[in-house]
Amino acid sequence: MSSSTYNSSQVVRRARALLYEKWQPRGEPLIVTRGPGRLNLIGEHTDYNHGYVMPVAVDRSVVIAATPREDQRIRVYSEGLDSAAEYTLGREPDDHKPGWIKYLEGVSWVLADLGKSLRGLDAVLYSDVPRGAGLSSSAALEVAWAMALLTATRDHLPPRELALACQRAENEYVGMKCGILDQFASVFGRAQSALLIDCDSLEIEVVPLQGHPISLVVCDTNRPRSLVNSEYNQRRASCEQAARLLGLPSLRPATRETVMAARETLGEENFKRAWHVVTENERVIETAEAFKRGDLEAVGRMISASHRSLRDYYEVSCPELEAMWTATQRAGCYGSRLVGAGFGGAVLALVAEEQVRQFIPQVTASYLESAGRQPNVFAVQIANGAEVVLPSG
Ligand code: ADP
Ligand code: MG
């Protein structure tokens, strides 16, 4: 959790104005926290297989402004949703709420379970993390909220525990079985670096991104996702079955050789899923090495190879993602791949910074022509992880 690439005086001014407009709070002090969204450069469908992932935090954040109250009441307003909600600490489970408040209730519920004594807040939040577009707005929200709650009692958690608490809130309270990738990226992200995360040991290595300046371009297909949950569950089941048939606790210790040798035993479908996972783990490690050397061509080759593997072996692509991928490859980038669960969502492209201005309109036009649908294409930069902006120091 380090200092921001954001202009923090601007963030504070906007957050303060919104807070006073909405709640006219009398309490002190003013608390402002920021939780960034994230992108995963490579390592797709490897997290739940105890493998490697390589995310970055991005320069899009959920910002929360709050002041403490004398009671246990929480009042929160989300500017983006133009929706306000309230709940009482210690009485979290209650269904008469808008869905988004569950993320906040879940976080306070977990913090209380960890023995933290919390106090009520008047709070507002604004965000430029698009919801459901693969940048993990939910983790950004949880992390910023956890920091606001803890700051209100001058308390804190070590970053790792903070991230794990937020993940637990999403798993156990919201009911989304996400891995640790999103919260780790939001908490530990660093400008000009990626995080190499071992999802087995939960060790994190900060990988400095050497070489030519790059931008990450998110190319959202705007195709509504369908079948994602059932397909996702099938992929997970297939991987578990493959590990069992290989006599392993997970696919983590599997190699190309063991998977290839067991091809018949596994059956074609399990084989393909396992093949993606073992080769993807290799690609993540090779990508980290290539970044350290500043070899962006090699990085790009890995990222594009990840896409082909997701398409051909994990089989989670769809016509819109293929149209988008082809558009990014033609427009000129180091590499690109579908990101997230698949069957819709976005393609991520690694683009030389000075190319971005041509890249975006070109990809937009060619996707529109081939898919007949308007995409949402935008560039983000790699940024620092979550922070308490105020009180400073
Ligand atoms: P993502 O991939 O963006 O994390 P999720 O479905 O996991 O998608 O989380 C999105 C949910 O997080 C939203 O439906 C909403 O409940 C909550 N959320 C995200 N951003 C905001 C916001 N600015 N205000 C209120 N809730 C938000
Ligand atoms: Mg999410």
Side-chain angles (χ1 to χ4, degrees):
M1 284 179 276
S2 38
S3 74
S4 172
T5 51
Y6 269 64
N7 178 337
S8 50
S9 65
Q10 223 173 330
V11 167
V12 168
R13 222 175 310 128
R14 182 165 169 205
R16 186 200 299 270
L18 186 60
L19 180 68
Y20 283 82
E21 178 193 316
K22 193 67 203 168
W23 301 124
Q24 298 91 39
R26 267 167 287 153
E28 288 287 330
L30 174 63
I31 296 163
V32 179
T33 61
R34 187 182 69 76
R38 65 97 188 97
L39 283 168
N40 188 23
L41 297 181
I42 192 162
E44 202 66 77
H45 291 283
T46 46
D47 57 344
Y48 54 83
N49 286 303
H50 297 249
Y52 296 103
V53 294
M54 213 171 126
V56 296
V58 299
D59 58 351
R60 301 254 184 153
S61 295
V62 170
V63 174
I64 290 177
T67 52
R69 293 168 57 97
E70 293 307 319
D71 56 14
Q72 295 294 99
R73 199 84 183 131
I74 299 283
R75 295 196 294 180
V76 199
Y77 172 72
S78 165
E79 188 190 45
L81 299 180
D82 189 21
S83 161
E86 303 193 16
Y87 70 97
T88 301
L89 293 168
R91 294 217 309 258
E92 277 84 354
D94 180 345
D95 288 334
H96 309 284
K97 309 266 173 52
W100 62 274
I101 202 77
K102 293 230 169 340
Y103 293 87
L104 309 186
E105 289 175 343
V107 169
S108 50
W109 175 75
V110 171
L111 292 179
D113 190 61
L114 293 174
K116 298 295 182 189
S117 62
L118 305 174
R119 59 190 290 196
L121 292 175
D122 285 329
V124 293
L125 67 98
Y126 71 85
S127 167
D128 58 2
V129 189
R131 293 181 293 279
L135 275 80
S136 197
S137 64
S138 60
L141 177 61
E142 291 150 12
V143 166
W145 184 240
M147 286 178 143
L149 283 170
L150 291 168
T151 304
T153 53
R154 295 197 176 81
D155 203 343
H156 87 291
L157 273 176
R160 178 176 293 269
E161 286 168 41
L162 183 91
L164 288 168
C166 292
Q167 182 204 16
R168 202 182 134 203
E170 187 150 348
N171 287 171
E172 294 178 21
Y173 197 93
V174 180
M176 261 297 295
K177 297 276 167 252
C178 59
I180 192 59
L181 176 118
D182 302 349
Q183 291 82 6
F184 264 18
S186 185
V187 168
F188 288 100
R190 282 247 204 112
Q192 268 120 48
S193 307
L195 304 170
L196 173 59
I197 303 175
D198 178 337
C199 297
D200 197 40
S201 66
L202 299 188
E203 268 170 47
I204 302 174
E205 184 191 340
V206 177
V207 179
L209 303 187
Q210 309 289 358
H212 194 88
I214 49 167
S215 286
L216 303 177
V217 182
V218 179
C219 312
D220 192 342
T221 61
N222 276 336
R223 176 198 141 121
R225 285 181 195 269
S226 57
L227 293 174
V228 185
N229 286 344
S230 62
E231 294 286 346
Y232 177 82
N233 291 337
Q234 278 175 28
R235 297 299 179 284
R236 280 190 83 138
S238 218
C239 290
E240 280 163 24
Q241 204 178 357
R244 227 177 6 255
L245 289 167
L246 291 166
L248 299 170
S250 73
L251 284 177
R252 172 57 179 276
T255 62
R256 281 174 191 251
E257 291 71 30
T258 52
V259 170
M260 192 54 93
R263 188 168 183 164
E264 276 192 21
T265 321
L266 292 174
E268 197 54 17
E269 187 171 317
N270 291 338
F271 165 76
K272 282 172 141 181
R273 309 305 182 237
W275 188 257
H276 167 74
V277 173
V278 297
T279 58
E280 186 77 351
N281 279 331
E282 287 178 7
R283 282 186 289 270
V284 178
I285 300 299
E286 282 183 44
T287 301
E289 295 306 320
F291 263 127
K292 290 179 198 165
R293 297 195 303 273
D295 185 352
L296 295 178
E297 273 77 21
V299 169
R301 278 196 302 277
M302 292 300 148
I303 289 176
S304 297
S306 168
H307 179 84
R308 293 189 190 92
S309 178
L310 287 162
R311 180 189 64 200
D312 301 336
Y313 289 94
Y314 224 63
E315 299 182 282
V316 291
S317 193
C318 64
E320 288 84 354
L321 281 168
E322 287 312 303
M324 187 64 89
W325 188 68
T326 305
T328 58
Q329 295 276 318
R330 287 201 185 129
C333 57
Y334 288 111
S336 59
R337 68 177 194 88
L338 73 89
V339 287
F343 305 103
V347 167
L348 169 65
L350 192 70
V351 182
E353 207 171 66
E354 72 281 2
Q355 299 285 331
V356 170
R357 283 178 59 162
Q358 297 107 280
F359 184 86
I360 292 177
Q362 207 172 324
V363 167
T364 304
S366 87
Y367 176 79
L368 182 60
E369 194 187 322
S370 57
R373 193 187 282 274
Q374 186 70 39
N376 183 20
V377 184
F378 57 94
V380 298
Q381 297 295 328
I382 298 168
N384 281 324
E387 61 179 335
V388 177
V389 181
L390 274 187
S392 55

